[in-house]
Amino acid sequence: MKRKLMTYSLAAVVGTSGLLLPASNTTFAQTLQEKKQQIEQKQSDVSSSLENKESEISQLEQEEQKLNSEIKKIDLQYAEINGKIREKEASIEETKKEVEELKIQIDEVKARIAERNKLLEDRARSLQENGGVVSYLDVLLGAQSFGDFVGRVNAVTTIVEADKEIIKAHEADKLLLEQTEADLNNKLKELKAALTELEVLKAQLEVQKNKKEELMATVEKQHDEALHEKHVLEDEAAFLAEQKKAIALEEQRQREEAARAAEEAKRQAEERKRAEAAAASSKSSNSSSGSSSSSNSSSSSSGSSSASTQKPAVTSGSFMWPASGRFTSGYGQRWGKLHAGIDIANRSDVPIVASASGTVIRAHYSSSYGNVAYISHNIGGQVYTTLYAHMENLQVSAGQSVSKGQQIGIMGNTGRSTGQHLHFEIHKGPWNGQANAVNPLNYLP
């Protein structure tokens, strides 16, 4: 079950807090208020989406329980079929033994029949040689006395009855042979049927196994996707909360700047008054005591040696280059998808600087971007968001105000990065994935 996560323009609001002071404090306050309302609306949308996703995960968990019960059922069937297979195998072995025993019995019956056949043949031959029934009369008539006659009659009767018993036993054995052969054939048929049934059961078992594997794979995939989508929404909610906090800090900073500007304006007005009074006094006295203009302009700090020399020079224009180094990759399609920024390669100790003044929206570690910072800017009333990825470390935090050219980190190779470089993006408007990414080369001097 492939679900496409709704990206609620994560940032149709991300990056709106780093705004420059507009010409009018009222206009600026209105702008911040509008951005705050946009963020709150997005927070509401994301919160609603998060609730929907949690409901979906709950449904998936119920479905998972249902699938687990089905899997349990399959497991029970698996065990049952295995039991039947064992029973059939045992029955087959027993049948084979019985077949062997029946073969032995058949051989014994055949031997008895052969012996009786020989006995009857001998008896028949003897009767034929002695005249058959007449020989029995000779035996009876040859009696010397009545007692001898009775004895001879009993002997002849016994012989005749014995012959009848032999013939009867012979017929019974022949019948037993036929019945035993029929039983053997039935046993063999049962054996073949059992083997066929065993093969069917094995095939059913294989189907059940495959079904179980498919169900397990489906459950795991759905569960993983739902959890991933939930985590993305939670991350988006956290991003919006950080941005709202950054806007509050920006409001406070702008209020403080406005207060300082008012104090400065008041101080300058007082200085102008004093200067005008001094000038009037100087004219009236007509004394040229020299224009005491103290011109001490010696505030050039030499900065730190190695790092400062590696920093790119602060240039005019809206944006400056965020790092010095070799341009290795531009904006555009790469390997079938958009490379939404540019890459600049250099050594590991090269500073990364803010491309324009603004407010840090987020500075954290991402599995894809590594150490990454997002900075929001308001330039001429237009909101921009810049992204600085794969840094070795971060020297700024969310909500911090930064000036153009201020160091925010060091070039690195973190996240999904192949080689030491900075990945730099510019987005026209709040950060919204690749939707509003623009070519940085069109904005850099």
Side-chain angles (χ1 to χ4, degrees), residues 28-195:
F28 173 76
Q30 290 175 348
T31 303
L32 281 183
Q33 193 61 31
E34 288 173 1
K35 296 303 178 185
K36 186 185 287 186
Q37 289 174 357
Q38 290 177 9
I39 291 173
E40 288 174 350
Q41 180 60 46
K42 287 298 174 184
Q43 282 182 312
S44 176
D45 293 344
V46 170
S47 177
S48 175
S49 300
L50 196 53
E51 288 178 4
N52 291 337
K53 186 57 59 181
E54 287 174 348
S55 174
E56 182 181 344
I57 289 174
S58 177
Q59 291 178 0
L60 280 172
E61 287 174 350
Q62 292 177 6
E63 185 177 351
E64 187 176 3
Q65 290 177 357
K66 179 181 177 183
L67 291 174
N68 282 334
S69 66
E70 290 183 16
I71 290 171
K72 182 179 179 181
K73 183 178 178 181
I74 292 171
D75 286 338
L76 293 175
Q77 291 175 348
Y78 184 93
E80 183 181 356
I81 290 173
N82 267 343
K84 288 182 179 179
I85 289 174
R86 286 190 291 270
E87 288 176 3
K88 290 299 178 185
E89 288 175 345
S91 177
I92 288 170
E93 290 301 318
E94 188 65 29
T95 303
K96 286 180 179 179
K97 290 179 183 178
E98 291 178 5
V99 167
E100 293 302 321
E101 291 174 0
L102 287 174
K103 286 181 179 179
I104 293 172
Q105 292 178 13
I106 288 171
D107 290 340
E108 291 174 353
V109 170
K110 286 181 178 178
R112 287 200 301 271
I113 289 175
E115 289 175 2
R116 289 171 186 150
N117 279 337
K118 186 175 182 303
L119 181 61
L120 292 174
E121 287 173 1
D122 291 344
R123 178 87 57 183
R125 190 180 300 112
S126 173
L127 290 173
Q128 187 177 9
E129 289 174 353
N130 295 319
V133 177
V134 177
S135 62
Y136 284 119
L137 292 174
D138 289 342
V139 170
L140 295 174
L141 293 175
Q144 300 299 320
S145 64
F146 182 74
D148 184 25
F149 176 78
V150 172
R152 291 189 178 212
V153 169
N154 289 333
V156 169
T157 302
T158 300
I159 291 171
V160 172
E161 289 298 326
D163 287 344
K164 287 181 180 180
E165 288 297 326
I166 290 173
I167 293 171
K168 184 178 178 182
H170 181 66
E171 292 297 329
D173 280 343
K174 285 176 67 178
L175 194 63
L176 176 61
L177 176 60
E178 292 174 357
Q179 184 62 44
T180 304
E181 286 178 341
D183 291 343
L184 175 60
N185 289 331
N186 289 334
K187 287 289 182 182
L188 289 173
K189 286 180 182 179
E190 289 176 5
L191 178 60
K192 290 179 181 179
L195 287 172

Side-chain angles (χ1 to χ4, degrees), residues 211-226:
K211 185 178 179 182
K212 177 179 178 179
E213 290 173 358
E214 290 174 4
L215 289 171
M216 288 292 289
T218 300
V219 169
E220 289 174 359
K221 184 178 179 182
Q222 290 177 351
H223 188 67
D224 289 346
E225 287 180 355

Side-chain angles (χ1 to χ4, degrees), residues 298-304 308:
S298 137
S299 82
S300 67
S301 72
S302 57
S304 63
S308 61

